[in-house]
Amino acid sequence: MNRHQQDEKLDQWLERHKGLLLKVTRSFAATSHDQDDLLQEVVLQVWRSIPRYTAKVAESTWIYRVALYTAVSWTRKESRHGQTQNEVTREPIAAPTKTDPRVDWLYEKIAELDPIDRSLALLMLDGFSYREISETLGLSESNVGVRLHRIKKLLSAKLQREGHDEL
Amino acid sequence: MSFDDIQSIWDSQPLPEGPIDKDGLLQTVVDRDRAFSRISTITDMLMTGTLLFVAAMFLRDPLIQGHDRVLILPGLTCLCAAGFIWKWRIDRQRRQIGFDDSLIGWIDKSIDGLDDRITQMRNFLWWFACPHAFGLGIALVIVDESKRYLLYTVFVPAFLICIGLTYWQIRREIRLKLRPAKERLESLRARLDNGE
């Protein structure tokens, strides 16, 4: 694959899967500046991964893998340097499009999870199967099941507790 | 209220409409990719190139003019070191392909990359400084008496200062950047393994 084909592929993927990329960046970065920074990093890694992509996995699964890996690494690196206001003092996120407050609330709750659970929550909410999630993250299916059960319970409890007041 | 409510909130978010500046992103991607590969390639090429240059300097007199044949030894040592650095680079590139594309695979790949960098830096003295020191040692024995002062006043001190400073910088880089980055990835890997 030459450079031109690689650029074309990236262009197609960005058009088709921009929603996915923005969901990941919004879940892992608090401010719009951080989101832009993370988006650049994710797109760079996605572009680099194109030559290794085979049609054995769906495009969206592949892009999710790359995006989540990049986001998890980015979160850990950035939080160590104290450059992000993630988790502790989150600023209101500049949403890519107008969303209702319930969606903002959900993103806030997802951002409170640790990076691995955040990845699991995103994949689960976007309808990936246990098998796909286990392949994406390299975990056993039973491990995925246990973790997702815990995350569902946690999010439901938060919705129960805070949902009535905030939403 | 149940998880189905959360799922319906998630599904209700609209698809973003064209907020991605594709051209700008693509340009950033190309620039950053060039910068990344440039650093790695420049480091390897600089080390290999320097060793080849020094090897040529050592081998020039014995091979062309036929005297000071003992200099063939440090020349060959430099050539071997240069070959070893290049082989290390090829092995690293081959190994990077072998990891699977799960999150764990990506983490393992990053850990391997960091390990490789740390080992390469730690081995710097063997690969780079030893062949040069060997040649300098031989030069001390065979140098013309009228030029011996140059070795003591210029070449030996310059060599010691350069190698000392580089070694200090390498240790600092490993301690402050590479090792913490590796520990972060290893703890992430452990958390995935333990199912915390």
Side-chain angles (χ1 to χ4, degrees), chain A residues 87-146:
Chain A
E87 297 172 351
V88 184
T89 55
R90 288 179 65 81
E91 283 183 357
I93 295 167
T97 53
K98 281 185 181 175
T99 56
D100 69 45
R102 297 180 311 151
V103 176
D104 293 338
W105 175 86
L106 183 52
Y107 271 107
E108 271 178 35
K109 298 305 139 192
I110 290 172
E112 285 169 8
L113 300 170
D114 77 51
I116 304 293
D117 284 351
R118 229 180 289 180
S119 309
L120 280 158
L122 281 174
L123 289 163
M124 169 182 67
L125 288 165
D126 266 344
F128 285 81
S129 67
Y130 280 21
R131 193 175 58 78
E132 286 170 320
I133 296 174
S134 79
E135 283 172 4
T136 300
L137 300 182
L139 302 169
S140 68
E141 278 188 54
S142 57
N143 193 347
V144 169
V146 171

Side-chain angles (χ1 to χ4, degrees), chain B residues 97-183:
Chain B
I97 304 168
F99 292 96
D100 69 74
D101 282 309
S102 67
L103 182 62
I104 282 187
W106 282 69
I107 292 170
D108 286 342
K109 187 176 165 184
S110 298
I111 292 173
D112 181 78
L114 286 169
D115 266 338
D116 182 271
R117 207 78 201 149
I118 290 170
T119 312
Q120 191 187 33
M121 284 178 147
R122 279 190 178 144
N123 286 344
F124 170 82
L125 277 189
W126 297 106
W127 293 356
F128 199 75
C130 284
H132 286 86
F134 184 40
L136 211 56
I138 289 179
L140 279 171
V141 177
I142 63 165
V143 71
D144 188 78
E145 282 304 320
S146 62
K147 292 177 183 169
R148 183 173 289 275
Y149 76 97
L150 276 175
L151 277 174
Y152 291 129
T153 55
V154 180
F155 293 113
V156 173
F159 173 77
L160 291 176
I161 289 168
C162 285
I163 293 298
L165 282 175
T166 313
Y167 190 62
W168 175 77
Q169 176 62 24
I170 282 172
R171 287 180 65 96
R172 193 169 172 273
E173 182 86 3
I174 291 175
R175 195 178 67 248
L176 297 180
K177 286 187 184 167
L178 298 177
R179 202 178 292 148
K182 190 183 161 200
E183 280 165 7

Side-chain angles (χ1 to χ4, degrees), chain A residues 18-84:
Chain A
K18 61 186 173 189
L20 180 161
L21 294 174
L22 291 171
K23 278 179 199 169
V24 173
T25 51
R26 194 176 167 191
S27 302
F28 280 84
T31 64
S32 59
H33 177 267
D34 281 349
Q35 286 170 19
D36 284 347
D37 196 34
L38 177 57
L39 184 64
Q40 282 185 9
E41 189 64 35
V42 168
V43 174
L44 171 67
Q45 297 305 332
V46 168
W47 181 80
R48 282 177 161 183
S49 79
I50 288 173
R52 293 198 317 278
Y53 173 72
T54 55
K56 285 178 191 168
V57 289
E59 274 178 17
S60 57
T61 310
W62 179 267
I63 295 168
Y64 238 123
R65 282 181 191 183
V66 179
L68 286 177
Y69 167 72
T70 312
V72 169
S73 309
W74 183 88
T75 307
R76 299 179 73 76
K77 190 171 66 183
E78 290 298 301
S79 59
R80 182 175 171 269
H81 294 298
Q83 288 168 354
T84 187

Side-chain angles (χ1 to χ4, degrees), chain B residues 35-122:
Chain B
F36 274 123
S37 53
R38 201 181 297 142
I39 290 168
S40 169
T41 306
I42 284 175
T43 308
D44 290 338
M45 288 189 79
L46 206 66
M47 284 182 79
T48 311
T50 309
L51 284 165
L52 289 176
F53 175 76
V54 176
M57 291 294 104
F58 279 134
L59 293 173
R60 189 186 57 181
D61 282 356
L63 294 184
I64 296 173
Q65 295 173 6
H67 61 78
D68 293 337
R69 289 185 187 279
V70 70
L71 288 176
I72 289 176
L73 276 176
L76 289 178
T77 313
C78 284
L79 281 180
C80 289
F84 196 63
I85 286 174
W86 208 251
K87 186 179 177 300
W88 183 283
R89 176 184 165 85
I90 292 166
D91 287 346
R92 181 181 66 223
Q93 287 170 339
R94 279 195 191 135
R95 214 172 44 244
Q96 293 278 301
I97 304 168
F99 292 96
D100 69 74
D101 282 309
S102 67
L103 182 62
I104 282 187
W106 282 69
I107 292 170
D108 286 342
K109 187 176 165 184
S110 298
I111 292 173
D112 181 78
L114 286 169
D115 266 338
D116 182 271
R117 207 78 201 149
I118 290 170
T119 312
Q120 191 187 33
M121 284 178 147
R122 279 190 178 144

